[in-house]
Amino acid sequence: EDQVTQSPEALRLQEGESSSLNCSYTVSGLRGLFWYRQDPGKGPEFLFTLYSAGEEKEKERLKATLTKKESFLHITAPKPEDSATYLCAVELGSARQLTFGSGTQLTVLP
Amino acid sequence: GAGVSQSPSNKVTEKGKDVELRCDPISGHTALYWYRQSLGQGLEFLIYFQGNSAPDKSGLPSDRFSAERTGGSVSTLTIQRTQQEDSAVYLCASSSRGGAEAFFGQGTRLTVV
């Protein structure tokens, strides 16, 4: 069965304390992996798309990487405004839907 | 439009009533998705439209749920005879093509009492 697992479920960081979020997947025919950020009471906000192992994307303090079995979202020197739930999703080979992980709730303390 | 628009933003309904949720996608986006997010849960896929057709309805939880899309634009998700377990946030997303990055609306919070 195709699965997407995110870890940790929750992460508390001090401002400036860098860390990484993990998204592992057991799917066949991966077409793309997507990272989203979701703030309370809002819809997910698109961050990155990764298509092939070895690919990296960066945006401000965030950097996403992809291997054949997992993706990492690295957060460098986070700020309190980076606090949110980070979701990863995979697009499978034959479908057009995105299968989402359950998310990592990140809290950055000032 | 500038982004995906959903209405209403909040809906409280009595058990057994029918509800309609509306989604206005980004102009020109041919792919449209509906997802459901229950409290503390991840996003659950409901249905995917490419243009006006729905090649993938696999996520609709029961025959009480239906959706349509007209003119390759606006979509309506209808839930008949609502049940308390239908309470959730219903999210709509659109993308320029199936499989591309999808942009989400703010969601409709449905509460069945």
Side-chain angles (χ1 to χ4, degrees):
Chain A
E1 180 182 342
D2 296 325
Q3 279 194 322
V4 181
T5 304
Q6 290 189 246
S7 62
E9 291 185 6
L11 181 63
R12 292 167 67 91
L13 300 173
Q14 290 295 135
E15 184 171 3
E17 180 186 1
S18 301
S19 188
S20 296
L21 313 182
N22 178 263
C23 172
S24 63
Y25 55 92
T26 54
V27 300
S28 57
L30 178 73
R31 291 175 61 93
L33 185 140
F34 303 79
W35 281 99
Y36 286 84
R37 167 190 172 131
Q38 187 173 27
D39 292 294
K42 297 190 175 182
E45 174 189 350
F46 170 76
L47 294 174
F48 302 111
T49 308
L50 301 167
Y51 290 106
S52 57
E55 189 175 358
E56 298 182 352
K57 294 274 181 73
E58 285 189 69
K59 179 181 178 181
E60 297 181 352
R61 295 177 292 282
L62 300 177
K63 178 180 177 180
T65 62
L66 181 66
T67 72
K68 288 187 178 179
K69 292 186 177 181
E70 59 191 348
S71 176
F72 291 94
L73 184 64
H74 307 278
I75 304 176
T76 302
K79 299 182 178 182
E81 54 261 43
D82 295 323
S83 296
T85 296
Y86 290 85
L87 301 167
C88 79
V90 298
E91 184 203 353
L92 304 179
S94 60
R96 286 292 179 258
Q97 61 168 289
L98 296 182
T99 299
F100 281 83
S102 55
T104 293
Q105 185 175 3
L106 174 67
T107 303
V108 182
L109 303 171
Chain B
V4 178
S5 178
Q6 292 187 245
S7 61
S9 54
N10 281 285
K11 176 71 175 179
V12 180
T13 189
E14 292 181 351
K15 178 181 173 181
K17 298 284 189 181
D18 298 351
V19 295
E20 284 190 353
L21 312 179
R22 177 187 170 102
C23 173
D24 280 280
I26 292 172
S27 178
H29 278 191
T30 58
L32 186 146
Y33 309 80
W34 284 98
Y35 288 85
R36 178 168 73 174
Q37 188 171 34
S38 301
L39 187 62
Q41 302 296 312
L43 274 74
E44 174 190 3
F45 169 78
L46 297 178
I47 189 169
Y48 157 66
F49 286 93
Q50 180 59 45
N52 289 335
S53 63
D56 190 349
K57 303 179 181 179
S58 62
L60 294 178
S62 76
D63 59 8
R64 296 186 297 104
F65 287 72
S66 63
E68 65 175 10
R69 189 179 185 194
T70 56
S73 181
V74 172
S75 177
T76 303
L77 177 68
T78 301
I79 308 173
Q80 296 178 309
R81 305 181 302 281
T82 52
Q83 303 295 313
Q84 287 186 329
E85 61 262 30
D86 299 334
S87 296
V89 176
Y90 290 81
L91 290 159
C92 175
S94 70
S95 66
S96 58
R97 58 174 174 79
E101 50 266 24
F103 296 89
F104 283 81
Q106 297 296 301
T108 293
R109 180 175 298 278
L110 175 66
T111 304
V112 182
V113 298

